[in-house]
Amino acid sequence: MRRYLLALLFCFALPVSAATQVLVTTNLGEFTIQLDDKSAPVSSQNFLRYVEDGSYVGTIFHRVIPGFMAQGGGFDKDLKRRPSYDAIKNESTNGLSNARATIAMARTQDPDSATRQFYINYQNNGFLDAQGSRPGYAVFGKVVKGFSVIEKMAEIPTTTIRSMGMKDVPQQPIVIKAINIIKK
C-alpha cells in the first residue's frame, strides 16, 4: 500500500505537458508547430482563432528569405489580403527568443499591430527579440516536426512584385492546404 501511495504521489508530482500542437499541411509537405500557450497566451490564442475558423487554409508563405525567415498566413495565392480580427497585444517580453525553428507574430512598426501573419525563423534571430524599452516580435511556439519542409521553402526562387511593394515572394506558391489542432 505504501509503495502504491508513493507511486501515486510521484505521478502527480511530474509536470504534465499540455502544449497545443498544430499540424500544417502545405503543397511541399507537413510540419508540426507546438505552441507555448503558457508563455505566450495571447499570441497562441490569436493563432488558434485563425486555425479554428479555417481561414489559414488557402493562404501562402508570401515572403521567404533564406537564412532569415518564412512569413505567411496573410495572403491567398493571388496575393489578395485575407481579412483579420483585431490586432493583439505584443508579447515579445515573454522570455521566448526568435531562435531557429520558432514561430512568431509578424507585425508593422506598431508593436501592438499583429493580426494573422506569422513567420518561422531559419536561424537564431535574437535581434528580433525585445531589448530594453524596444519591443520585439512575439515568439509563441516552435516547429517540432517537419522543419525540412520549412527549409524546402527557402530553395524556391523568389521575385519582387513592384506594383504591390512586395519582395522575396516565392515564384511557386507555397500554399497551406490544411491546418488542424492535433493535440490540445
Side-chain angles (χ1 to χ4, degrees):
M1 179 69 168
R2 184 172 179 198
R3 265 192 216 158
Y4 173 76
L5 286 175
L6 286 173
L8 190 60
L9 285 173
F10 180 74
C11 288
F12 284 113
L14 290 175
V16 178
S17 175
T20 303
Q21 290 189 350
V22 175
L23 177 65
V24 182
T25 304
T26 73
N27 56 322
L28 297 181
E30 296 180 342
F31 60 94
T32 302
I33 299 166
Q34 182 165 305
L35 304 183
D36 193 330
D37 316 79
K38 189 173 186 176
S39 298
V42 173
S43 300
S44 295
Q45 283 302 98
N46 178 68
F47 180 76
L48 288 173
R49 189 176 190 185
Y50 293 102
V51 170
E52 291 171 338
D53 77 6
S55 67
Y56 276 140
V57 175
T59 63
I60 62 168
F61 282 84
H62 66 278
R63 184 173 172 227
V64 178
I65 304 172
F68 179 38
M69 61 88 214
Q71 182 175 340
F75 296 89
D76 66 19
K77 65 182 174 142
D78 297 319
L79 294 176
K80 290 185 180 154
R81 189 179 296 272
R82 287 282 182 96
S84 299
Y85 296 111
D86 291 338
I88 60 171
K89 178 184 179 300
N90 187 315
E91 293 181 298
S92 64
T93 58
N94 63 16
L96 302 176
S97 181
N98 278 275
R100 177 177 167 80
T102 58
I103 183 171
M105 294 305 304
R107 63 171 176 81
T108 66
Q109 293 299 317
D110 176 356
D112 297 319
S113 63
T115 56
R116 66 180 298 129
Q117 291 186 41
F118 58 87
Y119 64 90
I120 300 169
N121 289 291
Y122 280 116
Q123 65 181 16
N124 296 338
N125 291 315
F127 68 94
L128 296 174
D129 298 341
Q131 295 177 6
S133 62
R134 183 183 63 79
Y137 292 79
V139 172
F140 63 95
K142 183 173 186 168
V143 175
V144 293
K145 186 176 177 187
F147 190 70
S148 61
V149 173
I150 309 303
E151 290 172 318
K152 274 191 223 175
M153 293 178 189
E155 296 172 8
I156 296 172
T158 61
T159 189
T160 297
I161 302 175
R162 295 195 195 306
S163 63
M164 297 185 75
M166 296 177 79
K167 295 180 180 180
D168 308 302
V169 179
Q171 292 178 9
Q172 170 196 338
I174 304 165
V175 183
I176 295 175
K177 298 172 84 174
I179 185 166
N180 298 294
I181 298 169
I182 56 173
K183 178 181 173 190
K184 195 158 185 166

